[in-house]
Each structure stands twice: as C-alpha cells, then as structure tokens.
Amino acid sequence: MSTGKKSQRLDKILGHLGYGTRSEIKKYVKQGRVAINGVVVKDSGIQCDPGTDVVELDGERIFYREFVYLMLHKPPGVISATEDRREKTVLDLLPTDFQVFSPFPVGRLDKDTEGLLLLTNDGQLAHDLLSPRKHVPKTYEAIVLGHVGEVEAARFREGVELDDGYVTLPAELKVLEHSKEADGAHISRIQLTISEGKFHQVKRMFESVGSRVTYLKRLSMGPLVLDETLPLGAFRELTDSELELLRTYKGTGASKS
Ligand code: URA
C-alpha cells in the first residue's frame, strides 16, 4: 500500500466515489469485502494511492479519479444549478455514478436556453474559464424577431448599452437566414459571439436593438464545441483532446474599442 504523496484514506476514496458513508464503508471493510493489491484489508483508514494501488470491492476493481469533465447538451426546461427545491436541474440529468463527483455547471444558461454546458468538479478550470479577464468567447445561435442585418451587426461590433447602462464588449453578429412566420412576421436566424457573460446577455443585447430572442442555443465556449451528435438532454465525458484544449486555452483578451 502506498504512503506516497497521492495517498489518501481508503474510506475517503470510496466515499468520494459514492460507495457509502464513512461508517458504511468501515462496515464493508470489516466484513473483508475490500482488497488492496489483492490483499484483504480490515482498516478503512488505511492509506492507499488510488492511481497506482489496485482497490477492489467485492472482487470488482474500483476506478478512481479526482475530476470529471462532462459536456451536456442542455435541453430547455432545466436550470443551470446543482440543486433546487422546485425546479429540475442539470444535475438531475446525470446518473448517480457521475453525480457522486459533485460536478457543477461552468457558467449558466437560462432555463429556456439549450446547448453546450460544461459540468465539472475541477474548480480551478472552471474559475479560469469564467474569469472576466480571459474574455472566453461564447457563440450562440438564436432566432430573433424582425429583420436584423448590417445595422445591428455594426452596433454589436461597437458595443451596445444594456438596460442597466452597461456597454457590452464588441460582439460578432452573423446573419444565417431571414424568413417569415406563418403570420407574416419577419424573423432572423443568427449567430452571435460574445466574450463576456452578463446576466441574460444575448437576450438583453437584442432588446437594446429593438428585437427579441425567441430561441437560444449555445454552440461553443472557447475551444469547446457542442457535439451535435448528443441528443438534447444527453451528456458525455470530454475527450482527452478537448480537455487539453481547455487546459491550454488562454482566452482572447478582447477589450472595449
Ligand atoms: N444569454 C442569454 O440571454 N441567455 C443565456 O442563457 C445565455 C446567454
């Protein structure tokens, strides 16, 4: 059994993975159900290194890791919180074997917004991505009322004043398509990239130019792009290369012109 730097108490490791409370784990260990490197142990406080020691419970190997990184295709109707007394949260979409890691959403999407949401328990990575100084760009697709075009694109490039007086950083608007609703009303399908994350920012930006968002979906955050093969409400772990991109991402450092 390792006593190296990465060693932790056996009950802490099993507890972190959701195998029970400290006293429940103590009981399993006493019952001889836990082995480390093939040797049954009887002390749940024993130190071991989950990275190198082979820990088994009832003969099944336990795979330990400290952090999880999940890409969720957030559906509308759930809130970007870890718990709520009334509303369904994004955490409710995860099975317990991921919930035990206590992941939390990196930033928020409104209840009616769908698309890319990163969930992790890596506080440092989340902090870095959310740091206002990094100006991590986020691209959204939206359907908005009216015929938006070059005028609005120019205003967004300059920065627009929101309802509380805040002037936004330059943002890039791309119009994808103009069409008409059944009642004849003009709508525009657009992509907007912003490099900050004020409350309801995209919706408030369109309000400031006399439009209104009726559908909103986040496509990307920094180098992380929504995997469109994930159905709404589904999630997957990040690939090694996605994680590496996030870890090495330096932001754009965009600033007001
Ligand atoms: N901007 C919004 O208005 N809502 C979101 O959910 C995200 C960005």
Side-chain angles (χ1 to χ4, degrees):
M1 270 127 262
S2 171
T3 50
K5 240 175 119 200
K6 291 198 178 134
S7 295
Q8 294 180 46
R9 286 177 61 106
L10 177 63
D11 51 9
K12 192 166 170 215
I13 294 164
L14 293 175
H16 184 65
L17 292 173
Y19 285 100
T21 61
R22 201 173 258 213
S23 61
E24 284 166 341
I25 291 163
K26 190 169 180 179
K27 203 163 81 194
Y28 305 151
V29 173
K30 279 253 158 68
Q31 290 166 343
R33 294 168 60 188
V34 180
I36 302 179
N37 299 329
V39 180
V40 171
V41 292
K42 287 292 168 76
D43 173 9
S44 60
I46 195 167
Q47 295 280 323
C48 73
D49 178 346
T52 53
D53 291 323
V54 176
V55 181
E56 288 165 297
L57 173 65
D58 295 334
E60 298 261 338
R61 180 147 186 206
I62 279 158
F63 288 96
Y64 181 85
R65 59 221 159 117
E66 193 175 2
F67 297 127
V68 286
Y69 304 90
L70 308 174
M71 176 190 291
L72 172 70
H73 191 166
K74 180 192 174 295
V78 295
I79 63 166
S80 301
T82 51
E83 53 182 49
D84 193 89
R85 292 222 321 267
R86 280 181 295 271
E87 306 269 14
K88 187 169 171 177
T89 74
V90 287
L91 262 279
D92 295 327
L93 300 172
L94 303 180
T96 37
D97 42 342
F98 283 101
Q99 286 186 8
V100 294
F101 288 98
S102 305
F104 53 87
V106 180
R108 282 167 188 269
L109 292 178
D110 296 337
K111 185 175 169 185
D112 59 353
T113 301
E114 56 189 61
L116 175 66
L117 191 65
L118 173 65
L119 297 156
T120 184
N121 55 349
D122 182 342
Q124 186 61 51
L125 184 99
H127 179 267
D128 287 350
L129 285 170
L130 294 174
S131 161
R133 269 174 297 135
K134 270 210 170 166
H135 300 301
V136 173
K138 281 150 286 222
T139 298
Y140 294 85
E141 180 174 326
I143 295 177
V144 303
L145 298 184
H147 191 288
V148 304
E150 248 326 294
V151 174
E152 289 75 16
R155 291 192 58 193
F156 286 164
R157 255 196 312 274
E158 288 294 306
V160 286
E161 186 174 331
L162 301 183
D163 47 9
D164 57 0
Y166 177 78
V167 178
T168 57
L169 288 174
E172 196 188 320
L173 177 70
K174 217 191 281 175
V175 178
L176 302 177
E177 147 181 85
H178 290 129
S179 56
K180 273 189 189 174
E181 295 275 71
D183 62 2
H186 283 279
I187 53 169
S188 310
R189 197 161 65 83
I190 60 92
Q191 264 183 24
L192 181 68
T193 302
I194 58 175
S195 2
E196 50 196 338
K198 302 288 173 205
F199 186 59
H200 297 326
Q201 179 156 347
V202 176
K203 292 174 182 165
R204 289 162 71 212
M205 284 176 74
F206 278 97
E207 274 163 27
S208 81
V209 295
S211 176
R212 186 158 65 79
V213 172
T214 60
Y215 167 82
L216 189 58
K217 172 181 181 178
R218 181 155 65 190
L219 303 177
S220 65
M221 180 166 86
L224 190 62
V225 178
L226 176 66
D227 176 349
E228 296 278 1
T229 67
L230 281 177
L232 271 176
F235 77 96
R236 67 159 170 78
E237 292 193 58
L238 294 195
T239 62
D240 289 346
S241 58
E242 286 168 334
L243 186 55
E244 188 57 21
L245 283 172
L246 281 183
R247 285 208 173 112
T248 53
Y249 187 65
K250 299 275 182 278
T252 65
S255 59
K256 290 189 182 178
S257 50

